[in-house]
Amino acid sequence: MDSETYQGWKQYSLHCSRCHGDEALGTTFGPDLVTSLGPDGDISSKEQFLEVLRGSRSSKGMPSAAKMGLDSVYIEGLYRYLSGRGSGRLKGGRPARLEHPADH
């Protein structure tokens, strides 16, 4: 997994998992994001994802990214992580970080 997506997973764990679950499969507080960001989900585009983070679901109890304290620098990585889960490209659990040759 590239560094940006890995950081997105970390931000998911910090800001989103308490309502959407550790695996993004939903809880009694928040819906299943794997399904929502999947090809047939109701958040199947990046623009729809950004609308949710801007606060379009506040009436359902979903705070905006700003209210959660999510720094906008991590939003692309968060989208990559969740859309990867939705497409099945990424599995649940702590992802393996892609090592770069310069890291050795």
Side-chain angles (χ1 to χ4, degrees), residues 22-63:
D22 291 336
E23 305 287 319
L25 296 173
T27 68
T28 57
F29 298 107
D32 175 344
L33 297 180
V34 173
T35 299
S36 293
L37 275 88
D40 298 323
D42 64 340
I43 307 173
S44 59
S45 74
K46 187 174 182 179
E47 185 54 39
Q48 290 169 317
F49 177 75
L50 294 174
E51 284 299 313
V52 170
L53 289 183
R54 287 182 193 119
S56 69
R57 300 222 171 143
S58 61
S59 64
K60 294 182 178 184
M62 170 70 189

Side-chain angles (χ1 to χ4, degrees), residues 41-104:
D42 64 340
I43 307 173
S44 59
S45 74
K46 187 174 182 179
E47 185 54 39
Q48 290 169 317
F49 177 75
L50 294 174
E51 284 299 313
V52 170
L53 289 183
R54 287 182 193 119
S56 69
R57 300 222 171 143
S58 61
S59 64
K60 294 182 178 184
M62 170 70 189
S64 68
K67 282 191 177 181
M68 286 188 291
L70 176 63
D71 189 322
S72 62
V73 72
Y74 298 113
I75 290 176
E76 177 64 28
L78 180 60
Y79 177 73
R80 285 185 189 183
Y81 170 68
L82 290 171
S83 63
R85 292 281 288 122
S87 71
R89 186 177 50 81
L90 298 176
K91 304 299 177 209
R94 183 184 180 120
R97 228 173 130 171
L98 180 65
E99 292 190 35
H100 299 283
D103 293 342
H104 295 286

